[in-house]
Amino acid sequence: MDPLDPDPEHDLLLVIDVQNDFCPGGALAVADGDAVVPVIAAAMPRFAHVALTQDWHPAGHRSFASAHPGRAAYDSVQCAYGAQTLWPDHCVQGTRGAAFHPALDLTRAQLVIRKGFRPSIDSYSAFFENDRSTPTGLAGYLRERGIRRVVLCGLATDFCVAYSAIDARRQGFEATVMLDACRAIDLEGSLAASLDAMRAAGVVLHDGPP
Ligand code: VGL
Ligand code: ZN
């Protein structure tokens, strides 16, 4: 039995942030990040519905360490909405780093959700910004289209993929994460913590080939 077994009508493949800045050589490179590209290429033809997310920050975004004098990348600061990790400048709107990896096939993508474009709030999740309440519109889109399950892949497992998968559950969708098609940042145990949090939220972790 195929544990992924995509249902053409009700399943959507959600490809998270497969952008140059999260791949080797990029500003916030995830180790082996580009290894997800061929795995996603193998999965895409199996899904009738495909959507992508694109991290899309204005220059000077509040999630950038460079916007906080005296702070370094990977420090944590308190924002109005709680703790925020500071990152190197990455995925600045219109730059090459914000573009999708050149080998990622975009032809079958039906929707691109851009996130993190408000200057003072970050957005890891494809569904909500980091205040956990400002929606991106994705849940409404999926509901209108009759989607019941979101199958997630991309970068990074422990941030944008995990937040998106947990929010998918919060919004009443089934969620499956294809771990083979994800890579993690793993900041101070964040990968193990994210896997625990996803399991606790009822996310199915799928570890085989697509
Ligand atoms: C991400 C940190 C900052 C991600 C995006 O795609 O996981 N991580 N912005
Ligand atoms: Zn970002």
Side-chain angles (χ1 to χ4, degrees):
M1 224 279 278
D2 174 1
L4 202 55
D5 193 23
D7 164 352
E9 216 175 322
H10 303 115
D11 285 356
L12 175 134
L13 182 68
L14 184 58
V15 181
I16 304 288
D17 296 2
V18 181
Q19 293 166 260
N20 290 320
D21 269 344
F22 297 122
C23 292
L28 179 40
V30 178
D32 212 20
D34 53 348
V36 304
V37 173
V39 189
I40 293 170
M44 271 183 178
R46 305 190 53 201
F47 287 82
H49 306 293
V50 177
L52 313 176
T53 66
Q54 189 171 26
D55 210 38
W56 195 248
H57 301 306
H61 192 259
R62 293 295 288 173
S63 75
F64 295 171
S66 61
H68 301 258
R71 296 298 191 135
Y74 310 108
D75 283 357
S76 182
V77 294
Q78 280 307 121
C79 287
Y81 51 82
Q84 169 69 50
T85 301
L86 298 179
W87 304 105
D89 292 22
H90 66 280
C91 297
V92 173
Q93 295 171 358
T95 63
R96 193 185 157 273
F100 290 110
H101 186 286
L104 184 72
D105 183 5
L106 309 177
T107 42
R108 298 192 57 259
Q110 299 169 352
L111 175 78
V112 177
I113 284 269
R114 286 177 167 165
K115 59 186 182 61
F117 50 77
R118 289 187 176 79
S120 50
I121 178 165
D122 205 2
S123 187
Y124 295 151
S125 164
F127 291 90
F128 290 101
E129 306 207 7
N130 283 11
D131 60 2
R132 324 302 298 135
S133 62
T134 305
T136 63
L138 179 60
Y141 174 88
L142 297 177
R143 272 186 211 113
E144 281 202 25
R145 300 212 41 218
I147 301 298
R148 293 182 193 154
R149 179 173 74 145
V150 178
V151 177
L152 298 101
C153 56
L155 305 170
T157 320
D158 41 347
F159 287 91
C160 292
V161 174
Y163 275 67
S164 299
I166 290 166
D167 279 350
R169 297 290 302 135
R170 255 210 310 154
Q171 287 297 302
F173 300 100
E174 292 173 55
T176 299
V177 170
M178 292 171 51
L179 290 174
D180 277 17
C182 298
R183 291 294 183 277
I185 296 175
D186 205 10
L187 202 60
E188 295 167 4
S190 58
L191 175 57
S194 74
L195 295 174
D196 286 346
M198 286 193 279
R199 279 190 204 98
V203 175
V204 176
L205 301 178
H206 173 79
D207 211 359

